[in-house]
Amino acid sequence: MLARVLLLAVLPCSYAGLAQPSTVTAATYAGETSTADYPPSGATNSAIDSYFPDASQVGYPGPTPTGDEAEAIATAPSFPKVTSAFPLVEPNTADDKGETFDVLRYWGNLSPMYSVDSFGLPDASPLIPEGCGLNQVHLLIRHGARYPTTGEGPAQFAANIHAAASGPGFTVSGPLEFLGTWTYKLGAEILTPFGREALFSNGVAFRVRYGDLLKEFTDLPVFRTTSEDRMVDSALNFAAGFFEVRTYLEDYHQEIIIEADGFNNTLAPYGTCQNSNVESIGYYGDGQAEAWAAIYLQGALKRLQPMIQGYNLTITDLVDMQELCAYETVALGYSMFCDLFTEEEWEGFEYGLDLNFWYSVGPGNPTSAAMGLGYVQELVARLTQTPITVWNSTTNSTLDSSNVTFPLYQPIFVDATHDTVISNIVTALNFTSLAATGPLPTDHIPPNRSYIVSQIAPFASNLIAQVLSCPAAGEPTHIRFILNDAVMPLTGIKGCTEDQNGLCPLPSFISGMQERIGQIDFDFDCFANYTMPDPDDITDGRYPAWMRNDTAY
């Protein structure tokens, strides 16, 4: 609490009896980018390395009997919720609400994953329902916490501050005093140490919950990821947690699918969906979020501008500062930017990201279902153990037509992907409960909204499909989905009726998905020459059917 008291003491003095804050002339290096590389250059030395043999060379391992596999998802009396983000320092707010208001949960896709209470089935548990048996599990997991994407706002804000600090008249005071000596310590794109920890921990948790299914394998599992550094790193950290650090590379096959423009990849579908890369379509949510930011950050702009001279803050700067709070926290463990904003302003930040996702990669964008289509086709192929023969989406015919790189008979499937893709996929799966209160307005936060990005696609987000036999014998009969530890209602899928445990008969689900696949027109939604509807009332991730006749390719 001491740090929080000191920060409160330098707020503008609307509080009687507090001393006036000091004003600090910034160092000329303020805002500079600083980096560090490890291991040190030249540190690897084979002559020295020979002094440190590995465990297999040393020998003397002691007793090593192996126990049985865990299956806590079916045997435990309760499900452990994810409630903390150790070892991060939990942020405070400008109005000192940090002890009752969890800022970490208000960063949208930049939030660490936490257990969601409910998506509409408050009595459902991720634990296998009584009387059911677990036959198969499909895991779709997002990469862990990362540095900002190359060229994002935080780096530009740092460059702006550095330019101002290098000139005359730049001073800072009060809660902004730290900017006088602040440097930009964030890299770009790759996982942070916290991000690596989260994926390793997810691997451990997945082994504890679903490890018993390993006994059904007759060959090594094939897990998939994409070629981006953070994706490969996430997949390997997950595997190290799921298997065993010393042997995990020998325990499974890691498939790495190229992530680049022009390559079909269901885990990175935007590379072959043209309209998703058109500014006015694929990034439509940017404008909606900007309109909202101009409203919710007005108070912060008036409060913070007097604390910085020689630089005019903008609404964009304040959004960048809120992003810096999130990125610095997951990279460095703590950020001074967090305490600059009130509880209400953090709620506004979260809603801005909800708007961005809804209208860019969620139910409100006409390319979303098309980009999630390929994964849905792969899921149906795995569930029916039927090879894909129609290539009309982002499925990769080279990889998916091979039973080596796309096996159909595994008890466990693990695919690593991105936040935007998880949003695409839950849209393609027609999880209509997430879109129940949309479209989202840009002038206020609607009460009890159903679409909250921190619950859908945070860092290390996971979507799990449990294939079950109910009753617990014989062939699989049902399926259900669990998103960040909350069971999803499947009532948006034809044939899936309301069920308190989120269960849908497997044949009904497969039939409903086949119908959904037939409804999604990948070629039109990704390549037709159309403009966004105005107003954008889309809620199913598809371009409105009634507007298609007048649209040319």
Coordinates of all heavy atoms in Angstrom, one line a residue, residues 8-49:
L8 N -1.0 8.8 -4.5 CA -2.1 9.6 -4.2 C -1.7 11.0 -3.7 O -2.3 12.0 -4.0 CB -3.0 8.9 -3.2 CG -3.8 7.7 -3.7 CD1 -4.4 7.0 -2.5 CD2 -4.9 8.2 -4.6
A9 N -0.5 11.0 -3.1 CA -0.1 12.3 -2.5 C 0.3 13.3 -3.5 O 0.4 14.5 -3.2 CB 1.1 12.0 -1.6
V10 N 0.5 12.9 -4.8 CA 0.9 13.9 -5.8 C -0.2 14.2 -6.8 O 0.0 14.7 -7.8 CB 2.2 13.4 -6.5 CG1 3.3 13.4 -5.6 CG2 2.0 12.0 -7.1
L11 N -1.5 13.7 -6.5 CA -2.6 14.1 -7.3 C -2.8 15.6 -7.2 O -2.5 16.2 -6.2 CB -3.8 13.3 -6.9 CG -3.9 11.9 -7.3 CD1 -5.1 11.2 -6.6 CD2 -4.0 11.7 -8.8
P12 N -3.4 16.2 -8.3 CA -3.7 17.7 -8.2 C -4.5 17.9 -7.0 O -5.4 17.2 -6.6 CB -4.6 17.9 -9.5 CG -4.1 16.8 -10.4 CD -3.8 15.6 -9.6
C13 N -4.2 19.1 -6.3 CA -4.7 19.2 -4.9 C -6.1 19.8 -4.9 O -6.4 20.9 -4.6 CB -3.8 20.2 -4.2 SG -2.2 19.4 -3.8
S14 N -7.0 18.8 -5.1 CA -8.4 19.1 -4.8 C -8.7 18.6 -3.3 O -9.8 18.7 -2.8 CB -9.4 18.4 -5.8 OG -9.1 17.1 -5.8
Y15 N -7.6 18.0 -2.8 CA -7.7 17.5 -1.4 C -7.0 18.5 -0.5 O -5.8 18.8 -0.6 CB -7.0 16.1 -1.3 CG -7.6 15.1 -2.3 CD1 -7.0 14.9 -3.6 CD2 -8.7 14.4 -1.9 CE1 -7.6 14.0 -4.4 CE2 -9.3 13.5 -2.8 CZ -8.7 13.3 -4.1 OH -9.2 12.4 -4.9
A16 N -7.7 18.9 0.5 CA -7.2 19.9 1.4 C -6.1 19.4 2.2 O -6.1 18.3 2.6 CB -8.3 20.4 2.4
G17 N -5.1 20.3 2.4 CA -4.0 19.9 3.3 C -2.8 19.2 2.6 O -1.8 19.0 3.3
L18 N -2.9 18.8 1.3 CA -1.8 18.2 0.7 C -0.9 19.2 0.0 O -1.3 20.2 -0.5 CB -2.3 17.2 -0.4 CG -3.1 16.0 0.1 CD1 -3.6 15.1 -1.1 CD2 -2.3 15.2 1.1
A19 N 0.4 18.9 0.0 CA 1.4 19.8 -0.6 C 1.2 19.8 -2.1 O 0.8 18.9 -2.7 CB 2.8 19.4 -0.2
Q20 N 1.6 21.0 -2.7 CA 1.5 21.1 -4.2 C 2.6 20.1 -4.8 O 3.7 20.0 -4.2 CB 1.8 22.5 -4.6 CG 0.7 23.5 -4.2 CD -0.5 23.3 -5.0 OE1 -0.5 22.9 -6.2 NE2 -1.7 23.5 -4.4
P21 N 2.2 19.4 -5.9 CA 3.2 18.5 -6.5 C 4.4 19.3 -7.1 O 4.3 20.4 -7.5 CB 2.4 17.8 -7.6 CG 1.3 18.8 -7.9 CD 1.0 19.5 -6.6
S22 N 5.5 18.6 -7.1 CA 6.7 19.2 -7.7 C 6.7 19.0 -9.2 O 6.0 18.2 -9.7 CB 7.9 18.5 -7.1 OG 7.9 17.1 -7.5
T23 N 7.4 19.9 -9.9 CA 7.5 19.8 -11.3 C 9.0 19.4 -11.6 O 9.9 20.0 -11.1 CB 7.2 21.2 -11.9 OG1 5.9 21.5 -11.6 CG2 7.4 21.1 -13.5
V24 N 9.1 18.5 -12.6 CA 10.4 17.9 -12.9 C 10.7 18.2 -14.4 O 9.8 17.9 -15.2 CB 10.5 16.4 -12.6 CG1 11.8 15.8 -13.1 CG2 10.3 16.2 -11.1
T25 N 11.9 18.7 -14.7 CA 12.3 18.8 -16.0 C 12.8 17.4 -16.5 O 13.7 16.8 -15.8 CB 13.5 19.8 -16.2 OG1 13.0 21.1 -15.8 CG2 13.9 19.9 -17.6
A26 N 12.3 16.9 -17.6 CA 12.6 15.5 -18.0 C 14.0 15.4 -18.5 O 14.6 16.3 -19.0 CB 11.7 15.1 -19.1
A27 N 14.6 14.2 -18.2 CA 15.9 13.9 -18.8 C 15.7 13.8 -20.3 O 14.7 13.4 -20.9 CB 16.4 12.6 -18.2
T28 N 16.8 14.1 -21.1 CA 16.7 14.1 -22.5 C 16.5 12.6 -23.1 O 16.1 12.5 -24.2 CB 18.0 14.6 -23.1 OG1 19.1 13.9 -22.6 CG2 18.1 16.1 -22.8
Y29 N 16.8 11.6 -22.2 CA 16.6 10.3 -22.7 C 15.2 9.7 -22.5 O 14.9 8.6 -22.8 CB 17.6 9.3 -22.0 CG 17.5 9.2 -20.5 CD1 16.5 8.5 -19.9 CD2 18.4 9.9 -19.7 CE1 16.4 8.4 -18.5 CE2 18.3 9.8 -18.3 CZ 17.3 9.0 -17.7 OH 17.2 9.0 -16.4
A30 N 14.3 10.6 -21.8 CA 13.0 10.1 -21.6 C 12.3 9.7 -22.9 O 12.4 10.3 -23.9 CB 12.2 11.3 -21.0
G31 N 11.7 8.5 -22.8 CA 11.0 8.0 -24.0 C 11.9 7.1 -24.9 O 11.4 6.5 -25.8
E32 N 13.2 7.1 -24.6 CA 14.1 6.3 -25.4 C 13.7 4.8 -25.3 O 13.2 4.4 -24.3 CB 15.5 6.5 -25.0 CG 16.2 7.7 -25.6 CD 17.7 7.7 -25.3 OE1 18.2 6.8 -24.5 OE2 18.4 8.6 -25.8
T33 N 14.0 4.1 -26.4 CA 13.8 2.6 -26.4 C 15.1 2.0 -25.8 O 16.2 2.3 -26.3 CB 13.5 2.1 -27.8 OG1 12.3 2.7 -28.2 CG2 13.4 0.6 -27.8
S34 N 14.9 1.1 -24.9 CA 16.1 0.3 -24.3 C 15.8 -1.1 -24.4 O 14.6 -1.6 -24.2 CB 16.3 0.7 -22.9 OG 15.2 0.5 -22.1
T35 N 16.8 -1.9 -24.8 CA 16.6 -3.4 -24.9 C 17.8 -4.1 -24.3 O 18.8 -3.5 -23.9 CB 16.6 -3.8 -26.4 OG1 17.8 -3.4 -27.0 CG2 15.5 -3.1 -27.1
A36 N 17.7 -5.4 -24.1 CA 18.7 -6.2 -23.5 C 18.6 -7.6 -24.2 O 17.5 -8.1 -24.3 CB 18.7 -6.3 -22.0
D37 N 19.8 -8.1 -24.6 CA 19.8 -9.5 -25.2 C 20.4 -10.5 -24.2 O 21.5 -10.2 -23.6 CB 20.6 -9.5 -26.5 CG 19.9 -8.7 -27.6 OD1 18.6 -8.8 -27.6 OD2 20.5 -8.1 -28.4
Y38 N 19.8 -11.6 -24.1 CA 20.3 -12.7 -23.3 C 20.1 -14.0 -24.1 O 19.1 -14.2 -24.7 CB 19.6 -12.8 -22.0 CG 20.3 -13.8 -21.0 CD1 21.4 -13.3 -20.2 CD2 19.9 -15.1 -21.0 CE1 22.0 -14.2 -19.4 CE2 20.6 -16.0 -20.2 CZ 21.6 -15.6 -19.4 OH 22.3 -16.4 -18.6
P39 N 21.1 -14.9 -24.1 CA 22.4 -14.9 -23.4 C 23.4 -13.9 -24.0 O 23.2 -13.5 -25.1 CB 22.9 -16.3 -23.5 CG 22.3 -16.8 -24.7 CD 20.9 -16.2 -24.8
P40 N 24.4 -13.5 -23.2 CA 25.4 -12.6 -23.7 C 26.1 -13.1 -24.9 O 26.3 -14.3 -25.1 CB 26.4 -12.4 -22.5 CG 25.7 -12.9 -21.3 CD 24.7 -13.9 -21.8
S41 N 26.5 -12.2 -25.8 CA 27.2 -12.6 -27.0 C 28.5 -13.4 -26.7 O 29.3 -12.9 -25.8 CB 27.6 -11.4 -27.9 OG 28.3 -11.7 -29.0
G42 N 28.7 -14.5 -27.3 CA 30.0 -15.3 -27.1 C 29.9 -16.1 -25.8 O 30.9 -16.7 -25.5
A43 N 28.8 -16.2 -25.2 CA 28.7 -17.0 -23.9 C 28.8 -18.5 -24.1 O 29.2 -19.2 -23.3 CB 27.4 -16.6 -23.1
T44 N 28.3 -18.9 -25.3 CA 28.4 -20.3 -25.6 C 29.8 -20.8 -25.9 O 30.4 -20.2 -26.8 CB 27.4 -20.7 -26.8 OG1 26.1 -20.3 -26.5 CG2 27.4 -22.2 -27.0
N45 N 30.3 -21.8 -25.2 CA 31.6 -22.2 -25.3 C 31.6 -23.7 -25.1 O 31.4 -24.2 -24.0 CB 32.5 -21.5 -24.3 CG 34.0 -21.9 -24.5 OD1 34.4 -23.0 -24.8 ND2 34.9 -20.9 -24.3
S46 N 31.9 -24.5 -26.2 CA 31.8 -25.9 -26.1 C 32.8 -26.5 -25.2 O 32.5 -27.5 -24.6 CB 31.9 -26.5 -27.5 OG 33.2 -26.1 -28.1
A47 N 33.9 -25.9 -25.1 CA 35.0 -26.4 -24.1 C 34.5 -26.3 -22.7 O 34.7 -27.2 -21.9 CB 36.3 -25.6 -24.3
I48 N 33.8 -25.2 -22.4 CA 33.2 -25.1 -21.0 C 32.0 -26.0 -20.9 O 31.8 -26.6 -19.8 CB 32.9 -23.6 -20.7 CG1 34.2 -22.8 -20.7 CG2 32.1 -23.5 -19.4 CD1 33.9 -21.3 -20.5
D49 N 31.2 -26.1 -21.9 CA 30.0 -26.8 -21.8 C 30.2 -28.3 -21.5 O 29.4 -29.0 -20.9 CB 29.2 -26.8 -23.1 CG 28.6 -25.4 -23.4 OD1 28.5 -24.6 -22.4 OD2 28.2 -25.1 -24.5

